[in-house]
Amino acid sequence: TTMEHGAYVARCPSDGLQGQKWATLKSQLLNDCRLILGHAPIIVRSAACQELSDYERAFDQCTRLVRLARALDLSGVVSESDFGSFSLLLSIADRDAAQQFLQTRIIPVAQHDATHNSDYLTSLKVFLEQEAAFKAAAGRLGIHVSTLRYRLERMRDLFQIDAMDQSARFDLQLAIRLYEIGRLTAEEA
């Protein structure tokens, strides 16, 4: 184990570090680091390094994932798969920009849903997943098309979210994905 760029780097053989052994190691690392550091760490794992040149690539990948996790206020074990195809795009965003992006798009909706027991965020997510097809989205939600239309109109009135605007839909999908990544990773920590 060494300290590099404000991070601890542990190099260990990958032979036999799969399945339950990896689960045990990451659980122990999380617990030990919490005790030593006083807060939950960010833990990333690179692919196995075979050649000397692999180490630089692995370190760069891990550094990018740590920066991304910090930008989203995440801790615990994170991996490339947690961020999906957004990882490259997200890696260039800074923490304040990511938080502002979420605050102006999705967080008010999530807070309203929690306070008023509404389903605006779920409705919006499904509508976007169904590529703005009302009938398909309403079917997946188990509601009438007019109910879905009403919810989308209310979101426009309450949060200035226009799910009918094609250019806004990409931002909304990205914001929902960022929000979900943050929630899932926070639950694992």
Side-chain angles (χ1 to χ4, degrees):
T1 304
T2 60
M3 176 80 168
E4 297 180 28
H5 305 292
Y8 288 95
V9 177
R11 294 176 181 91
C12 53
S14 63
D15 298 347
L17 197 55
Q18 303 298 322
Q20 186 57 41
K21 286 184 179 182
W22 168 241
T24 302
L25 177 62
K26 68 182 177 183
S27 176
Q28 190 66 48
L29 281 170
L30 280 169
N31 291 333
D32 289 351
C33 289
R34 275 191 189 112
L35 288 173
I36 294 167
L37 301 173
H39 59 83
I42 298 169
I43 296 176
V44 295
R45 179 182 183 191
S46 74
C49 298
Q50 305 297 324
E51 305 289 327
L52 190 56
S53 62
D54 294 342
Y55 286 94
E56 183 178 0
R57 187 172 29 259
F59 187 78
D60 289 346
Q61 176 194 20
C62 290
T63 300
R64 183 169 48 86
L65 289 173
V66 167
R67 282 188 191 135
L68 183 54
R70 284 181 180 154
L72 297 172
D73 274 336
L74 305 179
S75 60
V77 179
V78 296
S79 69
E80 196 87 38
S81 63
D82 292 329
F83 303 104
S85 60
F86 292 113
S87 67
L88 182 59
L89 177 61
L90 296 176
S91 68
I92 62 173
D94 66 32
R95 177 182 175 179
D96 293 337
Q99 289 301 322
Q100 181 63 27
F101 182 73
L102 289 174
Q103 188 61 46
T104 60
R105 287 171 181 81
I106 295 302
I107 291 176
V109 180
Q111 290 171 338
H112 185 277
D113 281 352
T115 304
H116 296 91
N117 199 26
S118 54
D119 268 339
Y120 290 133
L121 190 56
T122 301
S123 299
L124 178 61
K125 179 183 176 191
V126 170
F127 181 72
L128 296 171
E129 287 173 349
Q130 296 300 312
E131 299 177 2
F134 280 97
K135 190 173 181 179
R140 277 214 32 229
L141 290 164
I143 61 175
H144 195 274
V145 172
S146 62
T147 303
L148 177 58
R149 286 186 191 279
Y150 171 77
R151 287 181 185 172
L152 294 174
E153 288 171 12
R154 284 291 291 155
M155 281 187 277
R156 188 185 65 230
D157 295 342
L158 292 172
F159 313 109
Q160 292 70 51
I161 290 176
D162 187 359
M164 300 310 299
D165 180 354
Q166 186 174 3
S167 63
R169 286 199 288 263
F170 174 78
D171 283 356
L172 293 168
Q173 287 175 314
L174 179 59
I176 289 170
R177 181 71 174 132
L178 278 170
Y179 180 75
E180 288 175 339
I181 289 168
R183 284 185 32 225
L184 289 174
T185 308
E187 289 171 6
E188 291 175 2

